[in-house]
């Protein structure tokens, strides 16, 4: 496997990760690291690790890390930039996202950023707006709805309510029936009028619904309200999930925006189908590895950190290669894990590092120290930080959402700070820089032993216009464009970028140092970059004879070098920097020596060119400065995110604590006040109901007199309509919702109660009033006819006349009519008595009907008002239950947030301790870098306004300060302050937690 440009192969990287506890670096090369691994394997076997422990298999960790890296490549190939790639990775790891991808299809970003409370309010308002339509739809044939809106409902209602025989009523009936099916032809005018009332309700509801939607953003239509089923539950749930993930800090804003991107959703859906059986675990969320698996965890986290530098093919090949050598690698991992707990094994393994063939000549153990500190801290973080779910009501409290979001942000920043260790291993980079036409390419070709003359400038024209890289052993040389070109600064920009990325710089000096190149030279010195100044002698040696003269008397070519060295020292001191090491080299002679036919002449010319002295000086510079500076950069990469989190936590945690205190104090009072407001609203509604009941009873006698006829139901309905009782429930619901909104709460629409039918009216007998007159007339006629019938009258008169004639013979015929008249009068009086009796009985029946009808009407009215009273009580009870549930859930949410807050406080102390340990290691590394005694530093800590403060014994303050400032180490860390340590005792002793 060939090495990647500017770096190492994945095989070299994984070997270095495996052997890292020994302090080795990947720049040692794959061959050297492989030999070291085999030596460790031999020592492990001899020590007793021939039989691998149960935890020894590391292949699964490597395979999962490779799978994660492959997925990273797939995500990165889809993402538009690094920020989008990070957000995609965040989404790919987030629990629950894939189950909502289909529901979130086509959702704009604004929809995901909407407020959950507004969604709940909209659901309640829309359901009310659509309720009349639902009722009307249930009572009207479906075919009518397609065109019924064309009917002038109000005029049709007015006409249909006219008598049936009128021309207007007939025309209205035909107009309405044009919109119905043939089965509706038998509908009567009253049925049509009742149904048109429903149609009018529907039209009003639809207009109100459209007006409501038109006043809202377009994303409301995405929610898909449906007349029959309400909101689309899957989309609503997806929206609630996204908002909860955002508000609780589980999802960042940039990742949330990607949920509105179809391409991103397709990638996430694809990732769910191609994910391995055991999902890859990012290093930032690895479980706390016990000591026995520290090597496996180190391999996984390290491979994740460097895997993006290699393509998918290399990673798969690495996995295959590792599987073939798993026995050796598992034994090496077991040895690395046992090394800390087994002093004998550690003593046997440590000498093996000295056998590394490492041209720079040194390794730095600081990296292992930093990784160990970070591993311990990560274990504690992962043990304490657990995902906390919040109730569905959490998003309804703006203050609570703010607190949860701030806690979640801190947790996310802490997870980001726990990311894998920065990758500072790999090949050492050395930039060859200097003025245009100073011989940089010639020097680079001499260092790389490249005899080819292409690319070497001739005359006044510069040749190198962009940076190119060339490898020699573990070092990559960067051939840069020149500074101080007259026509533009484009070359200088490329050269400056290469120097900033390099581990060391060879500055090629030629003849003079102009102001432009002097400024760049001083910038590099002040940056603390390891720099080697080379005075390039340019005597012509392009012919064998001239090369032979130079090889015989090289001092003549180097006699002017001392003056150039003085100029370099002058420029350095003018900037306040210590002068660099200055060497004189004839790079042209060194390059010509590579291609001369006379090999003896070539060897003499190469030695005379002083190139070997330059290579030795460069090796010392790399070993003494560049490798330790890599450890310093690693320390900065480790501690930078931790320090940023610590500073944010120090600023945010007190504010979060105050906000939680305020929430805890205010919650009971808010609950009591809101429930009391609900009870007061309920009492007021019931008082209004009682007033309506009293008014209804006052009007009931008049209403009862009008009952019992053909329009009985309509009269009762008109009576109830005038009472205005039906709006009390809706008014109470609106008032409770308003009271809740005033206190930042939202009431969800309760389950719809069964509607009371409008045709529920008193069931009474027909009114007896018309029967009284007919009964009296009938009784009078019957009595009179019976008394005055012809047969009865003649018989009576004959009998009377016979008696009279027998009594007196003198009675005359003239007295007979008078007697008949008297008899008729008696008959009429009898008939009148009979009529009076019938009338009394009829009146008594009417009174009995009125009493019975009144009782029935009162019972019906009481049932109605009792039903309304129960509805009012139910509305208050439902709202109370909802608020009780919300406050109980909020209390639980506040408690869980308080727990997360306290965990963050404990973790902040742990981060502070880890920072102190890292700073102590860094300070000692810096002191060793400048030739001081690392043991002189007792404590170290970053403090506001001071980049690094170190403590040492009072007697050694001046010495430590002189070493650090004399060698300009402070430019690496902005500012270093050296303080006398007044604390007694020996040992490292880090600073106390603040």
């Amino acid at each position: 496997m060939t090495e990647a440009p500017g770096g190492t192969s994945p095989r070299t990287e994984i070997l270095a990760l495996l052997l890292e506890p020994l302090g080795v670096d990947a720049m040692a090369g794959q061959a050297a690291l492989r030999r070291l691994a085999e030596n460790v394997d031999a020592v492990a076997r001899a020590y007793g690790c021939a039989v691998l422990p149960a935890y020894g298999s590391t292949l699964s960790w490597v395979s999962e890390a490779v799978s994660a890296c492959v997925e990273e490549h797939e995500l990165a190939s889809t993402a538009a930039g690094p920020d989008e790639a990070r957000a995609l990775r965040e989404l790919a790891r987030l629990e629950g996202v894939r189950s909502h991808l289909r529901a979130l299809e086509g959702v704009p970003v604004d929809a995901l950023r909407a407020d959950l409370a507004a969604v709940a309010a909209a659901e309640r308002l829309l359901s009310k707006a659509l309720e009349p339509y639902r009722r009307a739809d249930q009572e009207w044939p479906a075919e009518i709805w397609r065109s019924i809106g064309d009917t002038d409902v109000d005029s049709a209602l007015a006409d249909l309510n006219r008598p049936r025989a009128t021309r207007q009523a007939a025309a209205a009936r035909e107009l309405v029936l044009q919109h119905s099916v043939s089965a509706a032809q038998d509908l009567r005018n009253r049925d049509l009028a009742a149904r048109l009332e429903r149609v009018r309700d529907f039209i009003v509801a639809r207009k109100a619904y459209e007006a409501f939607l038109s006043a809202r953003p377009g994303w409301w239509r995405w929610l898909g309200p449906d007349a029959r089923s309400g909101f689309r539950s899957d989309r609503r749930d997806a929206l609630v999930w996204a908002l909860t993930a955002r508000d609780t800090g589980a999802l960042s804003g940039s990742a949330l925006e990607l949920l509105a991107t179809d391409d991103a959703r397709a990638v996430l859906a694809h990732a769910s189908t191609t994910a391995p059986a055991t999902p890859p675990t990012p290093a930032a969320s690895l479980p706390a590895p016990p000591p026995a698996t520290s090597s496996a965890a180190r391999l996984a986290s390290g491979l994740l950190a460097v895997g993006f530098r290699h393509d998918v093919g290399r990673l798969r090949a690495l996995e295959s290669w590792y599987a073939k050598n798993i026995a050796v690698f598992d034994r090496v991992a077991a040895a690395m894990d046992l090394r800390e707990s087994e002093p004998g094994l550690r003593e046997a393994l440590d000498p093996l590092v000295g056998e590394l063939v490492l041209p720079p000549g040194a390794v730095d153990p600081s990296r292992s120290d930093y990784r160990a500190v970070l591993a311990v801290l990560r274990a504690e973080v992962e043990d304490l930080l657990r995902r906390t779910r919040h109730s569905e009501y959490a998003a309804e409290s703006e203050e609570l959402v703010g607190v949860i979001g701030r806690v979640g942000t801190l947790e996310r920043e802490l997870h980001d700070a726990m990311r894998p260790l920065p990758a500072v291993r790999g090949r050492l980079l050395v930039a060859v820089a200097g003025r245009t036409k100073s011989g940089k390419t010639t020097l680079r070709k001499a260092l790389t032993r490249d005899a080819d003359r292409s690319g070497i400038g001739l005359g006044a024209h510069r040749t190198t216009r962009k940076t190119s890289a060339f490898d020699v052993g573990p070092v990559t040389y960067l051939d840069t464009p020149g500074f101080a070109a007259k026509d533009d600064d484009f070359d200088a920009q490329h050269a400056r970028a290469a120097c900033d990325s390099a581990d060391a710089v060879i500055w090629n000096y030629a003849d003079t140092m102009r102001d432009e190149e002097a400024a760049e030279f001083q910038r590099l010195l002040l940056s603390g970059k390891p720099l080697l100044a080379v005075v390039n002698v340019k005597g012509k040696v392009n012919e064998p004879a001239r090369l032979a003269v130079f090889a015989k008397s090289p001092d003549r070519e180097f006699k002017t070098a001392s003056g150039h060295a003085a100029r370099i020292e002058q420029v350095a001191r003018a900037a306040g920097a210590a002068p660099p090491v200055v060497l004189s080299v004839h790079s042209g002679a060194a390059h010509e020596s590579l291609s001369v036919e006379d090999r003896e002449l070539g060897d003499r010319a190469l030695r005379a060119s002083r190139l070997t002295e330059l290579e030795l000086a460069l090796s010392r510079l790399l070993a003494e400065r560049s490798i330790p500076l890599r450890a310093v950069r690693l320390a900065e990469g480790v501690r930078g995110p931790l320090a940023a989190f610590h500073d944010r936590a120090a600023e945010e945690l007190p504010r979060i604590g105050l906000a939680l205190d305020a929430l805890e104090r205010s919650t009971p009072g808010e609950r009591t006040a809101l429930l009391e407001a609900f009870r007061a609203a309920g009492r007021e509604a019931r008082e209004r109901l009682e007033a309506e009941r009293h008014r209804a009873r006052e009007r009931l006698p008049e209403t009862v007199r009008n009952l019992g006829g053909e329009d009985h139901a309509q009269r009762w309905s008109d009576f109830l309509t005038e009472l205005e009782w039906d709006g009390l429930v809706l008014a109470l619901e609106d008032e409770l919702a308003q009271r809740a909104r005033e206190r930042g709460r939202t009431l969800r629409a309760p389950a719809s109660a069964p509607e009371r039918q409008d045709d529920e009216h008193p069931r009474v007998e027909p009114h007896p009033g018309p029967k009284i007159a007919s009964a009296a007339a009938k009784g009078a006629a019957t009595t009179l006819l019976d008394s005055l019938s012809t047969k009865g009258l003649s018989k009576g008169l004959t009998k009377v006349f016979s008696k009279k004639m027998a009594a007196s013979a003198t009675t005359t015929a003239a007295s007979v009519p008078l007697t008949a008249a008297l008899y008729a009068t008696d008959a009429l009086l009898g008939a009148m008595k009979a009529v009076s009796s019938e009338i009394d009985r009829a009146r008594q029946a009417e009174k009995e009907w009125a009493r019975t009808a009144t009782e029935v009407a009162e019972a019906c009215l009481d049932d109605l008002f009792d039903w309304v009273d129960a509805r009012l009580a139910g509305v208050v009870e439902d709202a109370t239950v909802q608020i009780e549930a919300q406050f109980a859930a909020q209390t639980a949410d506040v408690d869980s947030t308080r727990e997360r807050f306290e965990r963050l406080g404990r973790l902040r102390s742990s981060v502070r301790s880890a920072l102190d340990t890292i700073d102590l290691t860094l300070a000692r590394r810096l002191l060793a870098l400048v030739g001081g005694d690392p043991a002189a530093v007792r404590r170290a800590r970053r403090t506001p306004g001071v980049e690094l403060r170190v403590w040492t014994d009072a007697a050694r303050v001046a010495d430590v300060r002189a070493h650090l400032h004399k060698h300009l180490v402070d430019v690496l860390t902005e500012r270093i302050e050296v303080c006398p340590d007044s604390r007694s005792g020996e040992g490292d002793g880090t600073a106390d937690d603040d």
Side-chain angles (χ1 to χ4, degrees):
M1 183 181 295
T2 57
E3 294 184 351
T8 58
S9 71
R11 294 185 183 183
T12 307
E13 294 282 357
I14 205 165
L15 280 169
L17 286 167
L18 195 60
L19 296 163
E20 192 176 47
L22 297 178
V24 299
D25 200 292
M27 69 177 185
Q30 182 181 337
L33 291 172
R34 180 61 184 264
R35 286 196 300 273
L36 177 59
E38 292 172 351
N39 291 336
V40 170
D41 178 40
V43 172
R45 286 175 180 271
Y47 190 79
C49 293
V51 179
L52 294 176
Y55 59 77
S57 178
T58 55
L59 179 60
S60 60
W61 290 75
V62 173
S63 298
E64 290 175 5
V66 168
S67 298
C69 292
V70 170
E71 185 177 347
E72 299 267 343
H73 277 286
E74 293 177 352
L75 294 175
S77 64
T78 306
D83 293 338
E84 185 172 329
R86 281 193 295 271
L88 276 173
R89 289 196 295 270
E90 183 181 352
L91 284 169
R93 305 286 191 265
L94 195 62
E95 178 186 358
V97 62
R98 293 183 179 116
S99 62
H100 295 296
L101 289 178
R102 187 177 299 277
L104 290 171
E105 185 175 356
V107 185
V109 178
D110 290 341
L112 297 176
R113 290 178 171 169
D115 186 6
L116 182 59
V119 175
E123 186 174 11
R124 181 173 58 82
L125 293 174
L126 288 179
S127 63
K128 285 186 177 181
L130 293 173
E131 184 61 30
Y133 163 57
R134 292 195 185 98
R135 290 200 303 268
D137 191 25
Q138 294 168 2
E139 299 181 9
W140 193 268
E143 291 81 358
I144 298 179
W145 291 114
R146 287 195 289 268
S147 56
I148 195 66
D150 299 334
T151 303
D152 186 350
V153 177
D154 290 331
S155 61
L157 280 173
D159 290 337
L160 286 173
N161 284 321
R162 297 175 185 273
R164 181 166 182 164
T166 60
R167 186 174 301 172
Q168 293 93 330
R173 176 181 173 80
E174 292 302 320
L175 177 64
V176 174
L177 290 179
Q178 287 175 3
H179 301 278
S180 69
V181 293
S182 58
Q185 295 291 338
D186 59 344
L187 294 177
R188 294 174 300 173
N189 280 10
R190 287 182 180 176
D191 295 330
L192 286 173
R195 295 193 176 188
L196 279 185
E197 289 283 355
R198 301 293 187 188
V199 174
R200 184 168 59 184
D201 291 342
F202 161 66
I203 294 174
V204 172
R206 186 175 61 182
K207 290 180 179 178
Y209 170 61
E210 292 295 336
F212 179 79
L213 283 182
S214 64
R216 298 288 180 177
W219 66 264
W220 282 99
R221 296 188 182 275
W222 162 78
L223 289 172
D226 180 82
R228 296 183 182 277
S229 60
F231 280 75
R232 283 187 50 177
S233 60
D234 59 337
R235 292 193 174 181
R236 179 187 57 199
D237 294 343
L239 176 61
V240 170
W241 170 85
L243 292 171
T244 304
R246 177 203 65 187
D247 294 335
T248 56
L251 193 64
S252 63
S254 59
L256 193 67
E257 293 180 4
L258 286 180
L259 288 177
T261 305
D262 293 335
D263 293 339
R265 275 195 291 265
V267 171
L268 295 171
H270 175 70
S272 66
T273 61
T274 59
T278 303
T281 305
S285 60
L286 285 173
T293 61
S294 59
S295 291
R298 188 171 64 253
L299 283 172
S301 61
L303 187 57
L304 282 171
V306 301
F308 70 93
R309 301 208 307 250
H310 308 288
D311 58 32
V312 174
R314 286 177 177 270
L315 291 169
R316 291 302 186 194
L318 166 69
E319 184 179 13
S320 176
W321 171 79
Y322 194 88
K324 291 179 181 178
N325 298 275
I326 188 62
V328 173
F329 295 153
D330 271 354
R331 199 147 26 240
V332 172
M336 294 299 100
D337 292 336
L338 293 174
R339 175 177 171 273
E340 291 298 325
S341 58
E342 298 290 339
L345 180 61
R346 182 170 62 251
E347 292 175 2
L349 292 175
D350 288 344
L352 296 179
V353 180
E355 300 176 10
L356 283 178
V357 180
L358 189 58
V363 295
D364 195 295
S366 301
R367 184 181 63 255
S368 299
D369 297 335
Y370 299 140
R371 185 180 292 280
V373 172
L374 195 63
V376 171
L377 183 60
R378 180 182 295 141
E380 185 174 355
V381 168
E382 294 299 334
D383 183 57
L384 289 178
L385 284 188
R386 297 177 296 274
R387 178 167 299 191
T388 303
R389 297 192 177 276
H390 297 273
S391 71
E392 59 180 324
Y393 304 105
E396 296 182 2
S397 172
E398 184 175 351
E399 289 185 58
L400 182 56
V401 166
V403 173
I404 293 174
R406 289 158 71 181
V407 171
T409 299
L410 285 178
E411 290 177 342
R412 192 165 57 250
E413 290 179 0
L414 181 56
H415 272 295
D416 292 341
M418 292 290 101
R419 68 182 188 273
L421 215 58
V424 295
R425 297 177 300 279
R427 308 182 65 85
L428 289 169
L429 300 179
V430 177
V432 182
R435 194 179 70 197
T436 301
K437 303 301 297 175
S438 63
K440 298 183 299 298
T441 301
T442 304
L443 177 59
R444 188 262 302 165
K445 285 181 175 287
L447 289 169
T448 59
R449 303 302 191 265
D450 182 5
D452 185 17
R453 288 186 173 85
S454 63
I456 297 178
L458 299 175
H461 299 285
R462 64 188 187 275
T463 304
T464 303
R465 302 302 306 275
K466 61 181 181 179
T467 302
S468 55
F470 302 88
D471 297 340
V472 178
V475 178
T476 296
Y477 291 95
L478 304 176
D479 187 9
T480 67
F483 290 98
K486 293 183 179 181
D487 51 354
D488 59 47
D489 193 43
F490 182 76
D491 293 353
Q493 294 176 9
H494 281 273
R496 190 174 296 113
C499 291
D500 290 341
S501 65
D503 296 294
V505 176
I506 297 177
W507 185 272
N508 212 42
Y509 177 93
D511 302 332
T512 61
M513 186 175 283
R514 299 173 184 170
D515 292 342
E516 296 90 340
E517 59 181 307
E520 187 61 29
F521 181 73
Q522 291 173 334
R523 185 186 75 84
L524 289 172
L525 286 174
L526 292 174
S527 70
K529 183 79 66 175
L531 190 145
L532 187 63
V534 174
V535 177
N536 189 20
V537 177
K538 285 192 171 185
K540 289 188 177 181
V541 290
N542 55 344
E543 297 177 0
R546 292 184 176 182
L547 184 61
V549 171
F550 168 74
K552 183 177 181 181
S553 304
D555 292 341
R556 288 188 300 177
E557 295 292 337
F558 290 113
K559 63 182 179 180
T560 60
S562 59
H564 296 315
R567 170 62 176 157
I568 292 173
E569 292 181 3
Q570 178 187 10
V571 173
R573 296 189 186 282
V581 175
V582 182
L583 296 175
S584 300
V585 175
H586 198 314
S587 56
H591 187 256
E592 287 293 331
S593 68
L594 301 175
S595 58
V596 69
E597 294 182 0
D598 187 350
R599 295 314 308 155
E600 183 180 354
L601 174 59
D603 292 341
R604 286 190 289 110
L606 184 61
R607 288 192 298 271
S609 68
R610 300 185 182 179
L611 184 66
T612 55
E613 286 86 342
L614 170 61
E615 290 175 331
L616 290 174
L618 180 61
S619 296
R620 287 194 296 270
L621 181 68
L622 293 177
E624 295 173 0
R625 297 276 296 174
S626 296
I627 294 176
L629 284 174
R630 279 196 167 195
V632 171
R633 290 204 303 275
L634 178 63
E636 292 293 330
V638 171
R639 74 166 314 284
L642 293 178
F645 163 76
H646 181 272
D647 294 344
R648 274 293 309 278
E651 179 182 359
E652 282 289 316
L653 287 178
R655 299 177 183 175
I656 294 174
L658 291 175
L660 281 174
D661 292 341
L663 280 172
E664 290 172 339
R665 287 194 303 268
S666 62
T667 298
E670 290 179 0
R671 172 184 170 277
T672 302
L674 186 53
L675 293 181
E676 179 57 35
F678 283 179
R679 286 191 288 269
R683 286 194 298 269
E684 293 175 1
R686 298 182 76 172
E687 288 173 0
R688 291 194 295 271
L689 179 64
E690 288 301 321
E692 290 297 329
R693 187 197 295 261
H694 180 71
R695 190 160 70 92
R697 286 185 175 278
E698 289 180 346
R699 296 186 52 194
L700 190 60
E702 178 184 354
T703 303
V704 168
R705 286 195 294 271
N706 296 323
L707 297 180
E710 292 184 0
D711 56 353
H712 166 82
Q714 184 62 43
R715 289 179 179 275
W716 180 257
S717 178
D718 294 341
F719 167 66
L720 295 182
T721 301
E722 294 175 1
L723 293 178
E724 300 180 354
W725 59 269
D726 53 347
L728 290 176
V729 175
L730 294 178
L732 179 60
E733 289 179 349
D734 292 339
E735 184 174 1
L736 295 184
Q738 179 63 28
R739 299 282 181 92
R741 281 195 298 271
E742 290 172 356
R743 291 166 173 81
R745 301 285 163 179
T746 300
L747 291 179
R748 288 169 171 78
S752 58
E755 293 289 339
R756 183 178 178 86
Q757 298 299 320
D758 293 341
D759 59 353
E760 292 183 3
H761 50 77
R763 306 298 179 181
V764 298
E765 296 296 328
H767 197 285
K771 299 178 181 179
I772 298 176
S774 62
K778 182 179 180 181
T782 300
T783 303
L784 185 61
L785 289 175
D786 289 344
S787 301
L788 300 178
S789 63
T790 305
K791 182 179 180 180
L793 179 61
S794 60
K795 184 177 181 180
L797 290 175
T798 301
K799 185 177 181 179
V800 170
F801 183 74
S802 299
K803 289 180 178 181
K804 294 292 185 179
M805 290 295 293
S808 177
T810 59
T811 302
T812 64
S815 61
V816 175
L818 178 61
T819 303
L822 292 174
Y823 183 81
T825 300
D826 292 339
L828 289 175
L829 289 175
M832 291 177 63
K833 290 180 180 179
V835 169
S836 177
S837 177
E838 291 294 332
I839 290 175
D840 290 340
R841 286 197 297 271
R843 286 176 177 173
Q844 185 63 33
E846 182 179 14
K847 289 181 180 180
E848 183 65 23
W849 177 89
R851 183 184 64 79
T852 304
T854 301
E855 291 176 354
V856 172
E858 287 179 347
C860 188
L861 193 65
D862 288 340
D863 288 343
L864 171 64
F865 279 98
D866 289 344
W867 177 80
V868 176
D869 186 69
R871 283 290 307 276
L872 293 176
V875 169
V876 175
E877 182 181 1
D878 180 76
T880 301
V881 170
Q882 285 194 48
I883 293 303
E884 290 279 13
Q886 289 187 27
F887 276 102
Q890 177 175 324
T891 301
D893 292 333
V894 171
D895 291 342
S896 62
T897 306
R898 169 71 70 179
E899 182 181 355
R900 292 170 64 187
F901 164 76
E902 292 173 352
R903 289 202 305 263
L904 279 173
R906 295 193 296 271
L907 289 173
R908 173 175 169 260
S909 298
S910 299
V911 171
R912 174 73 269 175
S913 178
L915 284 172
D916 290 343
T917 303
I918 292 173
D919 288 341
L920 179 62
T921 305
L922 174 62
R924 289 176 173 173
R925 178 70 270 175
L926 290 174
L927 194 56
L929 184 63
V930 295
D933 180 11
V937 177
R938 305 271 305 243
R939 292 183 295 130
R941 168 177 281 193
R942 299 293 172 102
T943 56
V946 178
E947 185 66 14
L948 181 61
R949 175 176 290 149
V950 299
W951 284 266
T952 183
D953 295 336
R956 309 179 73 173
V957 170
D959 180 64
V960 172
R961 186 179 291 128
H963 272 90
L964 292 178
H965 294 288
K966 177 182 178 181
H967 295 277
L968 295 176
V969 176
D970 56 328
V971 301
L972 300 174
T973 56
E974 299 293 333
R975 180 182 171 193
I976 297 178
E977 183 176 306
V978 183
C979 306
D981 191 356
S982 59
R983 302 195 311 181
S984 60
E986 299 297 333
D988 295 339
T990 59
D992 298 332
D993 289 338
D994 53 358

